[in-house]
Amino acid sequence: MPNQIMIFLLDTLLSLFSLALLLRFYVQWSRVPYYHPFTRFLVAVTDFVVRPARRVIPSWRGLDLSTFVLAWLAQFIILVSINLLGGFGAGSSMFAFALLALVKLASMTLNILLIAIIVQAVLSWISPNTPLAPVLESFTGPVLGPIRRYIPPIANFDLSPIFAFILLQVLMMVVENLQRQIIHMF
């Protein structure tokens, strides 16, 4: 019972922290304004660990790799600690945990995109001028833009979120299959 509680707390807290780090990485990558409340929240939550990490992990071509590496590290710690606290022992490969942590980040990225597309579609009907709209557009633009080029709006109805949703679901299936293969390989 105490191990289950520890696993739950570690998984929940580190997953939320990893999500915040990953969102910060994507906010910086998509050039969301620094003074947007969403950006300020992510900076406030993660800055205590990102600032020191930037001294060790440099940026690369405008990408803040320190936040991405920290998100990966949080996922890695979750996997290792669940393995140890779950009583599976240390026999599992650290390389497998490293790969699984990357796959988890890919899965989180797909979930972020999926949720952003759904929220953006709903807000476009309810309140299209919400302050969250620019943030959502910067997240979903790279996915929806190419789809909109091939599938233009029909009678002012944008079908690109539907096709993006289908594409993201297929990618999620691929990532889940990859995760299963990595688990069975090691």
Side-chain angles (χ1 to χ4, degrees):
M1 177 80 160
N3 281 352
Q4 290 174 334
I5 294 171
M6 285 298 297
I7 289 172
F8 169 74
L9 289 174
L10 274 170
D11 187 28
T12 302
L13 296 176
L14 284 178
S15 291
L16 288 172
F17 188 65
S18 178
L19 176 65
L21 287 164
L22 197 59
L23 283 171
R24 180 175 175 162
F25 173 76
Y26 290 126
V27 160
Q28 291 172 343
W29 185 22
S30 59
R31 308 263 189 258
V32 174
Y34 182 74
Y35 290 104
H36 192 279
F38 184 69
T39 307
R40 299 296 301 151
F41 169 76
L42 292 174
V43 168
V45 169
T46 60
D47 216 29
F48 76 95
V49 71
V50 171
R51 281 192 186 266
R54 282 187 179 156
R55 291 186 216 132
V56 180
I57 305 165
S59 294
W60 180 71
R61 294 186 180 203
L63 295 176
D64 185 18
L65 291 182
S66 60
T67 56
F68 186 80
V69 169
L70 288 170
W72 170 82
L73 186 62
Q75 287 297 317
F76 181 78
I77 291 170
I78 290 169
L79 292 169
V80 171
S81 60
I82 286 175
N83 188 49
L84 291 175
L85 288 172
F88 301 112
S92 299
S93 169
M94 288 297 149
F95 182 70
F97 289 134
L99 281 176
L100 280 174
L102 274 176
V103 171
K104 289 282 190 183
L105 288 181
S107 178
M108 286 175 74
T109 298
L110 293 172
N111 282 318
I112 289 169
L113 279 170
L114 192 66
I115 291 169
I117 288 171
I118 291 170
V119 170
Q120 184 180 19
V122 170
L123 285 179
S124 72
W125 297 331
I126 297 171
S127 177
N129 298 323
T130 182
L132 194 57
V135 174
L136 293 171
E137 181 59 37
S138 67
F139 275 164
T140 61
V143 174
L144 294 178
I147 296 172
R148 285 179 180 143
R149 271 184 273 165
Y150 295 105
I151 304 169
I154 299 171
N156 284 338
F157 191 74
D158 187 11
L159 297 176
S160 62
I162 295 170
F163 288 98
F165 187 81
I166 293 168
L167 177 66
L168 289 172
Q169 287 293 328
V170 169
L171 289 173
M172 286 177 152
M173 289 178 201
V174 170
V175 167
E176 287 174 11
N177 188 31
L178 181 64
Q179 183 176 347
R180 272 189 244 110
Q181 287 179 355
I182 292 171
I183 290 171
H184 290 299
M185 189 174 12
F186 293 100

